[in-house]
Amino acid sequence: MADRIFSGVQPTGNLHLGNYLGAIRNWVGMQNQYECIFCVVDLHAITVPQKPDDLRQATREVTAAYIACGVDPKKSIIFPQSSVSAHSDLAWILGCHTPLGWLNRMTQFKEKTGKNRDNASLGLYGYPVLMAADILAYRATHVPVGEDQKQHLELARDIAGAFNRYYENDYFPLPEPLIQGPATRIMSLRDGTKKMSKSDESDYSRINLTDDAEAIDLKFRKAKSDMVEGISYDESARPEASNLINIFSALANVSREAVVNDYGARNFSDFKKALSALAIEQLSPITSLMRELLKDVSYIDAVLKDGAEKAGAIAAKNMKQIHEIVGFVQL
Ligand code: TYM
């Protein structure tokens, strides 16, 4: 089976530097080598309450962000998850092959729900099954994501294996996670032990792809630092310094060692200034292109429609075979 890439981002809130460096930026280079399918996962977004108008807007924003970051709709398929019914169809089928014990191990569900588990929706609980369906509906072989999605991808492999074993075939490839580079887990700027996240209540915890130069500069200036002299890499003793080094290294495309070589003897203030200048240089063309693209909703929607048709055609062919394997009467 030819290599095929699948990945996605939820249209909830602002995209941030973690989404860019951990995922989207890595997709760009893959387009020339592989068949790539990039989804805006709106079915995943509604596992927690969403306002309809906000969801529509966020779906278009994520699409604009993909394009502005360098995902080329002429090379890659870009589409909204809800436009291809195979995702929910296959999620049901795979859900029937997923033991509850496997889902009970998912740390993201536990973290998101805390003590309030009884009020969480069935959708939120089944979220990783839908994610497996996203990938397997296209029989994708590789999935480029950040570190936080690793457990979900392991589950997707387990589910694919369970299906293959039950029906005694090897229909689904076991999808390989691609978790690469120095930025697989970008941490909050306010707390180096917490992941940078869309849902953190403090906007100072993250750099949004919509932030202007002034905001980026202010956020890096206010980023938490420590009392140790100089700049050195030590994830457990100096989580904040290490996070800033990782961000610098990813943005500048140089090794951590090179960053420490250049800035090791400098203080936080100097390092943050250099980092903020670098981030502004890299992000401002993306931000302005995103703004331009969003002025033309009909263009964004045309990209999504074209992508939906292409993704739908691939998935429909696979779903026909899957229905046959499962034993559904074909009419
Ligand atoms: P989402 O929308 O939370 O995040 C999108 C991508 O960004 C990565 N990411 C990060 N990388 C580094 N540092 C961070 N702080 C950081 N925060 C987020 C995520 O790992 C992800 O790659 N369930 C997925 C979306 C999804 C999906 C899929 C992905 C649905 N179906 C199928 C791959 C394949 C999610 O919520 O990502």
Side-chain angles (χ1 to χ4, degrees), residues 13-43:
N14 280 325
L15 290 193
H16 54 69
L17 194 59
N19 301 130
Y20 175 60
L21 294 177
I24 307 173
R25 193 182 71 155
N26 301 331
W27 304 350
V28 176
M30 296 173 183
Q31 301 177 98
N32 298 325
Q33 246 179 309
Y34 304 104
E35 182 184 6
C36 291
I37 306 176
F38 299 122
C39 187
V40 185
V41 293
D42 50 2
L43 298 177

Side-chain angles (χ1 to χ4, degrees), residues 90 93-95 97-99 102 128-129 131-133 135-137 139-141 152-176 322 325:
L90 185 56
I93 295 172
L94 296 180
H97 290 273
T98 308
W102 290 3
V129 179
M131 198 167 146
I135 300 162
L136 298 175
R139 302 170 87 196
T141 54
H152 288 157
L153 282 181
E154 279 161 6
L155 182 75
R157 289 169 63 88
D158 287 344
I159 295 175
F163 181 97
N164 289 350
R165 268 194 309 283
Y166 184 79
Y167 295 106
E168 295 177 347
N169 61 31
D170 55 1
Y171 187 74
F172 289 128
L174 303 189
E176 290 281 346
I322 294 164
I325 292 171

Side-chain angles (χ1 to χ4, degrees), residues 10 18-19 127 131 134 145-146 148-149 184 186 196 198:
Q10 290 196 62
N19 301 130
Y127 178 115
M131 198 167 146
D134 297 340
V145 283
D148 62 334
Q149 297 302 319
T184 57
I186 296 292
M196 184 178 283
K198 292 172 198 160

